[in-house]
Amino acid sequence: MNSEDFQPNEQLLLRAVELLTSPENFTSSEPLPAKLPEVGIGSMNALSAMFDDVLGKSRDLGAPGFFAHMDPPTPAITWAMHLWTASRNQNLLHPDTAPRARELEKLAVDWIAPWFGMSGGHMTPGSTVANLTAIWAARESGCRVVVSGTGAHLSIRKSAHLLGMEHRIIDDWSNTGDLMNAVAVITAGTTSTGEIEPLDAASDARWRHIDAAWSGPLRLSERHRHLLDGIERADSVAISAHKWLFQPKESAFILFADHETAHKSISIEGAYLAVPNVGVLGSHGTIAAPLIAMLLAFGREGIAGMIDKSMSLADELAALVMAHADLELRSAPNCGVLCWRHKSVSADDIKRNLPDDVMVSSTTINGEPWLRSVSANPNANPAKVVAGVLQAAEKAQQQ
Ligand SMILES: *Cc1c(COP(=O)(O)O)cnc(C)c1O
């Protein structure tokens, strides 16, 4: 390795783009060695060696048969930003190393926060960390107990555990008991079924956090933002940008109604730091750049259009399921999350027999397994997904 290897190598980068855009023209070399080498093979060879594992063997989340998890395909403009931000490697922890990157994150936060009635916040690598950050701030404000609904994400239990707080599950938001010392975590769009818990619940809680990891971006859509009415009265909101904002991982927001007070309560100073370190992260990259670039490219309108389209695809899938005698729909889609099943073949057997180009996920509701389809892929073809599931059922029944 020498100093030239830190310079932009045009030949290498163009080759990387060529492999990305025309993977079919490349036959991959040997599999990666199980033991990583003492002596290197050079950057160009390393690129070829990585092709199969990084590009070849990845699932295409934007393929028409993929109607499964909360992971979206990402627009090409965001890939370009990841190339650039990796090349510059700014660290938002140190204003010296990141004179503009810190302002880019503020620009992104200032754009998104008002949609949720929040004053500001910061970016995190996911809503797991966003939820942890919110519950930490809540604890600093005097909360001792975390309460959440039955559908809360596992990161809530994890956060309570890490922060040494008691965690209570609330079966019924209209009957919570005393919440004077509690942070109430209300889920807007549960991970399993997409259900929106009552956003005005727990009005007497010391702190109200709304976990909108999946559904948050609905706020950008004229047609769907009413689904999250009331979110603007929360003390904090978590949103994953790497879910319904089509961002590459890892990208999310923690937003606060009063971010100055909240940030102060979760800041720690260090002798080597010019500014206090806010929140859970230490070193932190320019994760706002891809989001800002996408916004510049398509505007709020363009992104909302993609979210609306995803919502319509969930309706289309629901209609196809309802129209087929062998299929059963659990309920109308919630926030683009659909639970459905085959009447005589189990979700596990379906998943085992799906054709390679079709993917659905699964979940257990009241002890019963269901197929689950999340509309994170605006290029999904619901008819192809239904056909794939019926084909899998037939195959399973013949076994
Ligand atoms: C996905 C999800 C999370 C966790 O978010 P990550 O970005 O995966 O860390 C938290 N809450 C809900 C409701 C989710 O759907």
Side-chain angles (χ1 to χ4, degrees):
M1 202 174 183
N2 59 49
S3 41
E4 252 168 52
D5 293 308
F6 294 87
Q7 298 307 313
N9 177 338
E10 191 174 351
Q11 201 193 353
L12 179 77
L13 296 174
L14 288 177
R15 178 69 179 148
V17 171
E18 191 186 340
L19 291 174
L20 178 64
T21 51
S22 316
E24 67 281 1
N25 294 342
F26 184 74
T27 35
S28 49
S29 46
E30 296 103 69
L32 280 187
K35 189 168 179 296
L36 295 175
E38 275 293 300
V39 179
I41 54 176
S43 299
M44 211 59 167
N45 289 334
L47 194 64
S48 302
M50 292 302 290
F51 169 84
D52 205 35
D53 290 276
V54 179
L55 292 178
K57 290 189 177 125
S58 294
R59 304 306 294 265
D60 177 0
L61 303 178
F66 280 42
F67 209 136
H69 292 279
M70 292 180 163
D71 302 278
T74 52
I77 180 73
T78 63
W79 314 346
M81 287 303 113
H82 265 237
L83 177 63
W84 284 5
T85 56
S87 82
R88 292 302 186 262
N89 205 23
Q90 306 287 282
N91 188 352
L92 276 66
L93 190 57
H94 300 299
D96 287 351
T97 78
R100 183 60 178 150
R102 285 171 64 93
E103 292 162 16
L104 287 181
E105 181 159 318
K106 186 173 178 325
L107 187 63
V109 168
D110 287 350
W111 167 74
I112 202 164
W115 294 105
F116 299 85
M118 300 289 111
S119 73
H122 62 272
M123 296 188 76
T124 67
S127 285
T128 297
V129 177
N131 286 336
L132 173 63
T133 310
I135 296 169
W136 179 16
R139 192 190 69 175
E140 296 309 308
S141 84
C143 294
R144 291 291 163 262
V145 181
V146 183
V147 302
S148 65
T150 50
H153 188 260
L154 56 91
S155 57
I156 306 307
R157 187 153 54 98
K158 194 190 288 185
S159 301
H161 185 71
L162 283 169
L163 291 163
M165 298 168 79
E166 183 194 336
H167 179 213
R168 251 190 314 122
I169 293 183
I170 301 271
D171 291 320
D172 174 4
W173 279 112
S174 59
N175 179 20
T176 58
D178 177 12
L179 298 178
M180 275 278 290
N181 291 317
V183 42
V185 178
I186 300 165
T187 309
T190 57
T191 316
S192 186
T193 65
E195 188 202 338
I196 299 180
E197 296 178 344
L199 300 184
D200 54 359
S203 56
D204 60 335
R206 179 177 288 268
W207 189 289
R208 295 170 67 256
H209 173 63
I210 296 189
D211 179 357
W214 162 252
S215 73
L218 287 173
R219 212 60 190 151
L220 304 177
S221 152
E222 280 104 331
R223 210 187 308 163
H224 294 111
R225 74 173 54 118
H226 68 274
L227 292 171
L228 300 184
D229 279 353
I231 201 167
E232 66 282 1
R233 288 188 292 277
D235 294 294
S236 52
V237 176
I239 306 145
S240 286
H242 57 214
K243 288 182 173 175
W244 227 350
L245 278 177
F246 310 107
Q247 289 298 292
K249 293 174 192 65
E250 287 118 11
S251 181
F253 290 92
I254 177 60
L255 304 175
F256 295 102
D258 175 359
H259 76 282
E260 282 180 13
T261 306
H263 277 179
K264 207 170 287 169
S265 76
I266 55 169
S267 290
I268 294 181
E269 298 187 24
Y272 63 97
L273 292 175
V275 291
N277 178 203
V278 177
V280 176
L281 303 181
S283 296
H284 171 61
T286 318
I287 50 176
L291 181 65
I292 292 173
M294 181 183 77
L295 263 162
L296 283 174
F298 312 113
R300 193 270 315 153
E301 234 181 41
I303 297 161
M306 271 297 151
I307 294 165
D308 290 344
K309 184 169 175 218
S310 313
M311 288 288 273
S312 307
L313 290 175
D315 289 337
E316 268 178 53
L317 180 57
L320 291 173
V321 170
M322 267 195 301
H324 199 288
D326 294 337
L327 301 175
E328 181 187 355
L329 186 67
R330 182 176 170 267
S331 68
N334 284 314
C335 301
V337 181
L338 201 72
C339 295
W340 55 302
R341 64 185 172 188
H342 193 278
K343 286 180 183 166
S344 42
V345 181
S346 76
D348 272 354
D349 283 341
I350 296 279
K351 283 185 67 185
R352 250 194 301 278
N353 289 289
L354 280 174
D356 278 348
D357 59 350
V358 172
M359 182 160 64
V360 294
S361 53
S362 58
T363 187
T364 304
I365 307 166
N366 302 327
E368 289 185 32
W370 289 84
L371 297 174
R372 166 176 169 272
S373 287
V374 182
S375 59
N377 173 16
N379 307 319
N381 175 351
K384 186 179 169 77
V385 176
V386 167
V389 165
L390 291 171
Q391 193 185 322
E394 209 167 297
K395 203 169 147 196
Q397 282 169 325
Q398 284 163 4
Q399 282 163 3

